[in-house]
Amino acid sequence: MAHHADAKRALDERGYTGSLIRGDNPLKLFEKPVRDRIIESYYWKEQCFGLNAATLLDRALELTFIGGTYGVAQRPTPFLCLAFKLLQLTPDKEIILFYLRQEEFKYLRALAAFYVRLAWEKDAEVYETLEPYLADARKLKRRTREGWTLTHVDEFVDDLLVKSRVCATTLPKLNPRLFLEDEDKLEPRVSALGEELEYMDGSDGESDGEVEELEAMAGEHVSANGNGNGHLVSDDGGESDEEMDGD
């Protein structure tokens, strides 16, 4: 579709002939107040004009934080503006997967993950595509309405999979993973920590045995060398020097 300095023409239902997501204009995945703030923002008008799937990559590589809207005026972040542009472009899945799978640029990965959660319509495909990045523990800066917070790629991906609203955007309904497993649309997920958890369970069993052994040894020691309260007893059966001193 043609690119304009804003998205007003793309939002005009009388002349819209572009791609559809869930049977509707993709830009309507963002609420109207957010759309209005985006298309009136300086970043959208100056940095998003004429972008395509290739040139948008240059802008995405410049990202230094994620977020939705911020400040009293609820200005849109560059992250949100680029996500909006992706919805306008609706690039092929291969392009989004390229954004997602590259290892160097974590904010580009976050942007692609956000787009997948917004635009991909098959729930099982969303889980299968995003879950591998639950192992990416790199830090991300997030701009909120009140200020700044620190998160991580895996936390952000988890938010996308379990929360209904992320980055000032209400996400499309996503069926729970267990439901999709019951419907045989997904295989049960194997945790990346599986081996570590098994090792910890084994270690707990060993630790319990060691504790019991130490308690038994301590009981024998008290019986041989102390009274019922655990105080030491002298060899001649009298009280120890500590008890003789009084309180």
Side-chain angles (χ1 to χ4, degrees), residues 12-238:
D12 186 349
E13 297 299 323
R14 295 170 298 178
Y16 182 75
T17 57
S19 301
L20 300 177
I21 293 178
R22 298 179 178 86
D24 206 348
N25 186 336
L27 297 184
K28 293 171 69 175
L29 287 168
F30 281 22
E31 292 94 336
K32 187 178 187 305
V34 176
R35 296 198 305 260
D36 292 343
R37 292 186 184 102
I38 289 174
I39 62 179
E40 294 300 328
S41 69
Y42 173 83
Y43 185 87
W44 175 263
K45 293 176 180 178
E46 295 295 323
Q47 302 297 323
C48 296
F49 174 73
L51 292 182
N52 57 35
T55 55
L56 183 142
L57 180 62
D58 296 330
R59 294 285 181 267
L61 297 185
E62 297 170 355
L63 290 173
T64 57
F65 58 91
I66 64 172
T69 57
Y70 65 93
V72 177
Q74 298 186 43
R75 294 184 177 88
T77 61
F79 179 87
L80 198 64
C81 291
L82 291 179
F84 191 66
K85 175 56 79 171
L86 278 175
L87 289 174
Q88 185 179 10
L89 296 172
T90 56
D92 293 338
K93 287 185 177 181
E94 290 74 16
I95 294 175
I96 297 299
L97 290 174
F98 171 76
Y99 290 173
L100 193 63
R101 290 169 179 170
Q102 57 77 37
E103 296 290 340
E104 185 174 358
F105 301 101
K106 57 188 178 181
Y107 291 101
L108 175 60
R109 173 171 288 179
L111 179 66
F114 187 54
Y115 178 83
V116 168
R117 179 64 179 86
L118 280 172
W120 289 18
E121 300 183 41
K122 296 180 180 179
D123 291 355
E125 190 175 23
V126 171
Y127 281 103
E128 290 171 343
T129 302
L130 295 185
E131 283 181 339
Y133 305 102
L134 291 171
D136 189 344
R138 288 179 293 176
K139 296 178 181 178
L140 294 173
K141 287 191 294 183
R142 177 185 290 203
R143 188 157 197 180
T144 66
R145 187 175 299 183
E146 295 78 19
W148 298 88
T149 61
L150 183 66
T151 186
H152 302 79
V153 176
D154 56 345
E155 291 180 69
F156 181 63
V157 171
D158 187 63
D159 286 347
L160 292 174
L161 294 176
V162 302
K163 292 186 177 181
S164 61
R165 188 172 178 83
V166 175
C167 292
T169 306
T170 299
L171 302 174
K173 184 180 181 301
L174 184 70
N175 283 310
R177 197 184 203 289
L178 289 177
F179 172 81
L180 296 176
E181 290 179 13
D182 291 341
E183 294 290 313
D184 293 326
K185 295 180 179 179
L186 276 180
E187 295 293 328
R189 181 169 176 262
V190 179
S191 172
L193 299 177
E195 295 182 0
E196 287 79 358
L197 292 174
E198 291 178 4
Y199 174 78
M200 291 176 65
D201 290 341
S203 299
D204 289 343
E206 295 176 2
S207 299
D208 292 342
E210 292 174 357
V211 169
E212 292 175 359
E213 184 177 351
L214 289 172
E215 289 177 346
M217 293 175 61
E220 294 174 0
H221 180 73
V222 169
S223 299
N225 300 296
N227 60 20
N229 294 322
H231 297 299
L232 293 177
V233 179
S234 62
D235 291 339
D236 58 2

